[in-house]
Amino acid sequence: MDPNIQEAASNLAGIDVTIIVMYMIGVFILGTYFGKYVKSAGDFFVASRALPFWAIGMSIVVSDIGAMDFVAVAGSAFTDGIAVANFDWIGSMPAMVFAAFIFVPYFWRSGVYTIPEWLGRRYNAGVQIIHAAMWGVFLLTMLSLMLWVTGDELMNTILGWDPYWVVWLMVLITGVYTFSGGLSAVVMVDVVQLIIMFIGGISLLVLSMWEVGGPVGLQEKITSTEPRVIIELHDEAEIQPATVEEALSQAGFNVTGLDRAPMRTKDANPNRFVARLETVEIEATEGADIAAIRTKAKGLIEGALAGIGDGGEENGFQLRTYESHFKILLPHHTDKPYPWTGIVFGLGIVLAVAYMSGNQAIVQRTLGARSEWDAKGGMLFGGFLKSFIPLMVAVPGLCAVVLIPDLAEGDRAVPEMIGLLLPPGLKGLMFVALFAALMSSVDSTLSSATTIWTTDLYGRLRQFITGREMDEKHGLFIGRAFTVIFIILAGFLAPWIGQQEGLYVFIQTALSLFQGPTLAILLLGIIWKRANRWGGLAGLVLGVGFTTTLNMVDGLFPSDDPFLFVAWWSFVFSLIVTIVVSLLTPPEPEEKIRGLVWGQVMKDGEIQRVLGEKVS
Amino acid sequence: MSEWINSTLGPLLEQVFGPIDMLLTGVYMPWAKLVALAYFIGTMAWVFIGLKKEYVNLEAPSNHIWHDLRFWTVISMTPHVIVYLYL
């Protein structure tokens, strides 16, 4: 373990440990307190429809931000700059406004517990089951993964705690209060967790900014930081730094310093180096713009490193330049991961809206709102709070460029900054903030997975076999049973799933295939009454097929990981397919879609009255 | 499977997406900023002008301005406009 981090962990005594223990006990008591209000499935899954807007908004934010976001977003800001903040700005606020005024009112008025249930009513059981099965499996996998990644990569790395103990501690606390109080307990604990997360995050922000001399100092220092090349060479023997420095010099670069990167573990590659360059604008790159200069410089570095050691072309490197670290929008052709076209169209218009309107873990809170105004207001308040997340998460990553510029791994920026800057007491609070971020994501995912499995999969199967709908008491029993089964299963599977990188990538990819098509059929289902079951099914199935094709064809889009572009085009494709197939097949009967479509609800007084009775 | 799709559908899709890529590559960056700003401002305008006040504020606790969700939208989104204007 790194000496700084070890020191930080060994300093966790007295006040820090007291804060952590008090937090755990407090959350446990608060969560279980709400158990006394749970008497039916409606109480358990949608909090008796009694949630106020402020609790909804706070819960949405804290459910969305996990402990690993603190690490990964700061890491991305450290290596690629402020453009990563797009995910919480253009990738959240407009989407939450659309969710508030287009989707949420219709979900809330229809009285459903889940998004797949709404899709089932609007289209048919096929669409409901495909959507529910996908999300059901995804949420369960994410539950195990969250537990393990945080237990192992965060708490084990920072505190040196046994990851198995961390996993089972989280299983026990979150499992008991979710089982006991359902959505009410989850949301109210989330409120406390958000406050703690903000206190911890703002402390880190303020101390980081103090150290770098405020916003102006930060910008000046980053833009004047020398470019770095993080180099990883392959050879059985130790390669001397002088060899690497000479190769870079021969390629035309003026190397101002070169050090071996610190080894985090005993079996880490010793041939990792951090080189500082005077500039990447050398004679061979003259006359080009910055994107072309970076591309040419990368080619020159690749050529220089290919001749060292046994690795040949497998020798890897990462070029870090800081000229665009304060640019929120990057050109369409950029070697960084967030081109503006993908950010605005793929993220802002498709992925963000699909996430905020189609993700059960987010939308379930609004379904528990005490009024339609609270459901809408909760979304808007959540968007407002979410605007502050990049300040607490990305800005410390930028400050790390100034304070620890030779860090080889961006993901270590936050752990290093905690060790470096926070005094006792605040350090304990920051660890509590990380626990809060983890637990809020775990409880929300558990609650949503349980709701989908109970309502859309078990409930549908039971109805198919017995012909009867599930009553409230039975729904509560099954919901609680699934809560226990899922959290224990997640605890047992966590170490295995955490080590299956391929499985995680597969699940993430599979989910991303659904985002564009799901948004298309959700949107048309609400705004266009002519959309029918055949259009919805074709839009979903063919849309997923089209997305798969786009993912398989190489070089169509200007990015190594073109998910932002694929999301946009799969949305457009599914929109067209749903419209065409719906027009070619008979419309849905008026009584089936009553209350589920925009124009009808807005204009029909009779529907308003029926819905009012249903909701009350 | 992947090879087959690449060899059969790849050239066809390239015909569709290649020209779009060329078009977007030539976009001047201040235009990109305008598109992002238009997305924020357009969303605010849609809520304020496009939607009925009664729909936006249905079941609001009172008619006071601080319960008007149209103002909540503007207040929440204005800082974003400033950030995208200056960064």
Side-chain angles (χ1 to χ4, degrees), chain A residues 171-510:
Chain A
V171 164
L172 180 72
I173 296 175
T174 55
V176 168
Y177 73 70
T178 309
F179 171 86
S180 171
L183 187 65
S184 318
V186 167
V187 169
M188 288 309 168
V189 169
D190 282 356
V191 168
V192 175
Q193 285 169 333
L194 180 104
I195 294 167
I196 292 169
M197 218 170 85
F198 266 56
I199 295 172
I202 289 170
S203 306
L204 186 61
L205 169 71
V206 170
L207 288 172
S208 307
M209 290 301 273
W210 178 266
E211 286 291 323
V212 299
V216 177
L218 176 66
Q219 189 159 4
E220 280 173 3
K221 285 171 185 165
I222 285 186
T223 45
S224 61
T225 301
E226 290 175 320
R228 257 73 174 173
V229 189
I230 314 301
I231 298 162
E232 177 146 13
L233 302 173
H234 297 277
D235 197 295
E236 289 195 1
E238 267 198 12
I239 295 166
Q240 292 308 308
T243 312
V244 183
E245 190 170 341
E246 194 185 330
L248 290 173
S249 299
Q250 281 180 357
F253 296 100
N254 186 7
V255 182
T256 58
L258 191 139
D259 299 304
R260 205 178 284 279
M263 287 173 67
R264 306 282 173 204
T265 55
K266 274 185 287 184
D267 53 353
N269 180 4
N271 294 319
R272 294 170 75 236
F273 303 91
V274 180
R276 292 180 291 282
L277 308 179
E278 190 177 64
T279 174
V280 287
E281 296 174 57
I282 56 174
E283 201 178 336
T285 67
E286 210 171 329
D289 62 28
I290 188 63
I293 288 172
R294 279 179 57 90
T295 307
K296 284 185 179 179
K298 283 164 92 172
L300 292 169
I301 295 168
E302 192 175 351
L305 298 180
I308 307 175
D310 298 335
E313 289 181 359
E314 287 194 3
N315 286 337
F317 72 94
Q318 187 185 49
L319 174 64
R320 287 187 195 152
T321 59
Y322 303 99
E323 74 288 333
S324 58
H325 256 52
F326 280 92
K327 293 215 183 317
I328 192 80
L329 296 172
L330 301 173
H332 177 61
H333 271 275
T334 173
D335 59 345
K336 296 196 175 185
Y338 317 116
W340 78 270
T341 37
I343 288 292
V344 174
F345 296 103
L347 175 68
I349 298 176
V350 178
L351 285 178
V353 182
Y355 183 79
M356 292 299 169
S357 308
N359 184 342
Q360 180 68 20
I362 299 294
V363 174
Q364 193 167 345
R365 277 118 196 80
T366 63
L367 300 179
R370 64 186 173 191
S371 71
E372 187 178 313
W373 184 88
D374 283 276
K376 292 170 183 165
M379 265 287 172
L380 296 180
F381 185 52
F384 175 72
L385 291 175
K386 218 164 170 279
S387 310
F388 295 96
I389 297 295
L391 300 180
M392 297 185 295
V393 180
V395 174
L398 290 175
C399 294
V401 174
V402 176
L403 299 174
I404 31 178
D406 288 332
L407 203 59
E409 309 95 339
D411 282 354
R412 295 200 59 83
V414 156
E416 295 275 356
M417 295 284 276
I418 293 173
L420 203 65
L421 298 178
L422 297 187
L426 271 184
K427 202 176 283 177
L429 198 68
M430 191 65 211
F431 287 130
V432 166
L434 293 174
F435 272 117
L438 164 69
M439 289 168 73
S440 57
S441 302
V442 168
D443 64 24
S444 304
T445 307
L446 178 62
S447 171
S448 305
T450 303
T451 313
I452 284 183
W453 278 86
T454 307
T455 309
D456 300 299
L457 298 172
Y458 173 82
R460 269 283 175 186
L461 182 69
R462 187 175 185 275
Q463 194 179 6
F464 179 72
I465 294 169
T466 65
R468 284 181 291 125
E469 285 198 12
M470 197 165 45
D471 63 40
E472 287 284 303
K473 288 275 177 206
H474 187 67
L476 174 61
F477 173 75
I478 295 297
R480 281 187 159 155
F482 274 142
T483 304
V484 175
I485 293 166
F486 289 163
I487 194 68
I488 292 176
L489 194 67
F492 276 114
L493 290 178
W496 181 76
I497 286 184
Q499 285 153 15
Q500 307 298 314
E501 200 179 324
L503 180 71
Y504 175 64
V505 171
F506 172 75
I507 295 282
Q508 279 283 9
T509 308

Side-chain angles (χ1 to χ4, degrees), chain A residues 1-18:
Chain A
M1 201 189 292
D2 179 74
N4 279 337
I5 305 298
Q6 260 179 338
E7 196 186 327
S10 63
N11 285 343
L12 268 189
I15 188 167
D16 294 323
V17 174
T18 309

Side-chain angles (χ1 to χ4, degrees), chain B residues 15-86:
Chain B
Q15 294 287 319
V16 178
F17 293 109
I20 297 171
D21 186 40
M22 289 284 285
L23 187 76
L24 292 171
T25 304
V27 173
Y28 184 46
M29 277 311 285
W31 282 104
K33 185 169 275 203
L34 274 180
V35 172
L37 288 173
Y39 188 41
F40 283 109
I41 294 166
T43 306
M44 283 192 273
W46 171 69
V47 174
F48 223 96
I49 302 163
L51 294 176
K52 288 180 187 167
K53 185 184 173 189
E54 298 74 37
Y55 171 72
V56 171
N57 293 316
L58 190 68
E59 297 186 318
S62 76
N63 288 328
H64 290 120
I65 195 168
W66 55 84
H67 284 138
D68 189 337
L69 296 180
R70 296 176 308 161
F71 287 103
W72 286 34
T73 307
V74 172
I75 290 166
S76 303
M77 294 188 92
T78 304
H80 293 254
V81 173
I82 296 167
V83 166
Y84 279 81
L85 192 62
Y86 288 104

Side-chain angles (χ1 to χ4, degrees), chain A residues 127-155:
Chain A
V127 175
Q128 177 181 7
I129 289 167
I130 291 172
H131 198 260
M134 186 63 222
W135 273 99
V137 172
F138 172 73
L139 291 170
L140 280 184
T141 313
M142 282 307 293
L143 201 56
S144 294
L145 202 72
M146 275 176 204
L147 287 168
W148 184 253
V149 168
T150 314
D152 185 43
E153 291 186 16
L154 211 60
M155 298 309 167

